[in-house]
Amino acid sequence: SKARVVVVGGGYGGATTAKYIRLLSGHKIDVVLVEPNDAFVSCPLSNLVLGGSRQIADVTTPYTGLSRNHGVTVVKDMVAAIDTAGKNVRLASGPVIAYDKLVVSPGIDLLFNSIEGSQAAQASGQILQAWKAGPETVALRRQLEAMPDGGVYALTIPEQPFRCPPGPYERACQVAWYFKQAKPRSKVLILDANPDVVSKAGLFKKVWAEQYRGIVEYRPQHKTTAVDARNGVVKFEVQEDVKAAVINALPSMRAGAIAVQAGLNNLANNRWCGVDYQTFESTVAKDVHVLGDSIQIAPGMPKSGHMANSHGKVAAAAIVAQLSGWAVNPAPMLTNTCYSFVDDKNVVHVASVHEYVAAEKTFKTVAGSGGLSPGPTELEGAYANNWARNIWSDTLA
Ligand code: FAD
């Protein structure tokens, strides 16, 4: 009988792996993808929904390409439990599915207990994170639209590592772009737990000083400890409280809940999952491959959709090789490009290439392989839009 791979999560990592296992095995391996959402909603470009130049439908792609074009069995459900000893998963609706190989790419879990009051504020819809694109992105946009001119939008950023290092700073630009047109007396206040802007610092700071002068204010070393939704107050470890009309609080993050439930989160105070970087196989569970934002990353490897897509191809090739009795690629490579829109058209990027160094069992950034934009341009805006179309097609079509 055919080997079966079960994939948990149809995001950048999981959907890519599902498709590429089908392609690389010549359809000889069955793939079952379990994902609760009706369609794939991209976090990349979702900040533009907050800026108002895109709608959520523009960043949404159906899963039908995977089933129709590649014969992936897409099951709309949650994986409720993983039995790594018995090699099966149990779905929330009840059925148990056995696997020969399991791929776990559930993204991130938000640690609301890192910010007192944030869980209740989130549940009541008063304070949102919108760090998983979808209905919350739209709800946060509505809060910005409802905010009076002259109000403050406060964005709190946790200590790294978190999903998408440039993401919060791109978001600040998008909200500032909206305010500049629609409510120019309003402010974007960035409250960052880190000592400096985590990614593309020089580029973002220049944009804030020039294009968004008087709108964006950046405060480093501001570790948010609590939010008071009723009074619109953010509290810090050290500094004085801040009042804001709209609070967008990003809590600390860790591996997706199902990875934690399965005990795959063995590193960094149990926040992230350790993997053998040559195959993305878990270091604690045989035949379980973990990828995307859930893994412990080597220095220089961002938690990005582009990286998760790249992990997916390496993992798919390793899984197909292992199930077919072929040698595993001894030297996999990963690539990354993260584009950030500073307004509706102008974009900056950071890029890198990472090679597997067998002697050290880790990925290392290839010297001179990447770099940063000199400054925002519309040409890079065109590249960014095409990057998105390409990666959605590569992952899902
Ligand atoms: P995801 O893509 O989040 O996929 C996880 C999937 O697993 C989800 O669909 C979820 O529903 C599913 N799932 C979870 N638990 C279960 C379960 N128990 N059973 C079944 N399914 C489950 N990256 C870039 O490369 N470029 C960018 O420009 C960029 N911009 C970003 C902007 C923002 C605002 C944000 C928040 C992120 C951005 N990122 C960007 C980062 C990117 O979104 C993530 O790194 C990427 O989504 C990680 O892929 P993943 O497969 O690990 O997780």
Side-chain angles (χ1 to χ4, degrees):
S1 73
K2 276 186 172 181
R4 183 191 294 138
V5 178
V6 174
V7 179
V8 186
Y12 277 93
T16 304
T17 316
K19 171 177 162 179
Y20 274 84
I21 288 174
R22 293 291 291 166
L23 287 175
L24 295 171
S25 72
H27 293 186
K28 288 198 181 78
I29 296 173
D30 282 335
V31 177
V32 178
L33 172 68
V34 185
E35 164 62 50
N37 292 325
D38 284 322
F40 172 100
V41 185
S42 174
C43 287
L45 267 65
S46 71
N47 281 330
L48 278 68
V49 176
L50 301 177
S53 66
R54 300 295 169 94
Q55 303 294 312
I56 201 80
D58 300 330
V59 299
T60 302
T61 308
Y63 283 112
T64 43
L66 291 178
S67 45
R68 283 194 202 140
N69 304 341
H70 303 288
V72 173
T73 305
V74 181
V75 177
K76 185 176 166 348
D77 209 328
M78 287 286 279
V79 169
I82 297 173
D83 176 354
T84 55
K87 295 185 76 170
N88 64 59
V89 302
R90 183 167 50 74
L91 304 185
S93 65
V96 171
I97 309 177
Y99 64 77
D100 296 291
K101 288 275 195 183
L102 183 69
V103 174
V104 181
S105 190
I108 48 155
D109 196 12
L110 296 154
L111 296 170
F112 289 109
N113 62 3
S114 67
I115 303 177
E116 201 189 315
S118 66
Q119 182 124 45
Q122 163 89 18
S124 68
Q126 287 174 287
I127 295 180
L128 305 171
Q129 28 81 22
W131 217 238
K132 297 180 181 181
E136 244 191 75
T137 315
V138 176
L140 180 56
R141 168 68 189 175
R142 296 226 173 90
Q143 287 188 349
L144 295 169
E145 285 169 345
M147 197 187 90
D149 191 8
V152 171
Y153 160 78
L155 172 63
T156 85
I157 305 173
E159 282 167 307
Q160 58 169 332
F162 51 80
R163 157 175 282 186
C164 194
Y169 313 104
E170 177 192 57
R171 177 170 290 187
C173 293
Q174 286 300 314
V175 176
W177 181 72
Y178 167 59
F179 285 172
K180 196 172 170 177
Q181 302 162 78
K183 31 192 95 173
R185 294 191 299 119
S186 308
K187 296 260 177 298
V188 173
L189 187 52
I190 308 169
L191 303 161
D192 194 338
N194 297 287
D196 196 1
V197 173
V198 168
S199 175
K200 305 174 195 163
L203 289 169
F204 280 121
K205 285 178 173 172
K206 191 156 185 277
V207 167
W208 298 334
E210 291 173 2
Q211 197 169 343
Y212 301 122
R213 174 172 292 280
I215 298 180
V216 174
E217 185 188 334
Y218 178 72
R219 295 188 191 165
Q221 312 267 28
H222 276 61
K223 186 173 176 185
T224 300
T225 54
V227 286
D228 172 352
R230 182 196 293 259
N231 299 305
V233 174
V234 186
K235 295 171 187 289
F236 308 96
E237 205 166 60
V238 178
Q239 291 85 357
E240 271 181 32
D241 295 359
V242 161
K243 257 186 100 71
V246 175
I247 299 172
N248 181 187
L250 304 182
S252 298
M253 299 168 201
R254 72 169 171 190
I258 188 69
V260 173
Q261 222 177 300
L264 303 171
N265 54 323
N266 56 329
L267 295 180
N269 292 322
N270 298 326
R271 277 176 73 187
W272 309 110
C273 305
V275 296
D276 169 349
Y277 289 124
Q278 196 187 346
T279 58
F280 287 82
E281 187 167 9
S282 162
T283 52
V284 291
K286 195 172 162 1
D287 295 323
V288 176
H289 297 249
V290 190
L291 45 134
D293 288 351
S294 282
I295 67 161
Q296 169 77 8
I297 46 181
M301 284 168 69
K303 292 190 183 290
S304 77
H306 196 138
M307 280 300 248
N309 168 277
S310 221
H311 299 172
K313 291 171 186 170
V314 173
I319 288 167
V320 171
Q322 288 172 341
L323 289 176
S324 311
W326 307 335
V328 172
N329 178 4
M333 298 280 255
L334 304 171
T335 58
N336 185 66
T337 310
C338 280
Y339 291 101
S340 299
F341 282 79
V342 304
D343 51 37
D344 60 331
K345 292 191 185 71
N346 291 283
V347 164
V348 290
H349 82 271
V350 57
S352 52
V353 179
H354 307 262
E355 66 180 341
Y356 180 72
V357 177
E360 296 173 57
K361 290 181 169 293
T362 192
F363 279 105
K364 293 214 156 161
T365 309
V366 176
S369 64
L372 279 173
S373 312
T377 60
E378 286 195 21
L379 179 60
E380 285 219 43
Y383 292 158
N385 282 313
N386 288 332
W387 171 87
R389 285 173 46 200
N390 276 321
I391 200 164
W392 296 339
S393 167
D394 185 40
T395 304
L396 297 155

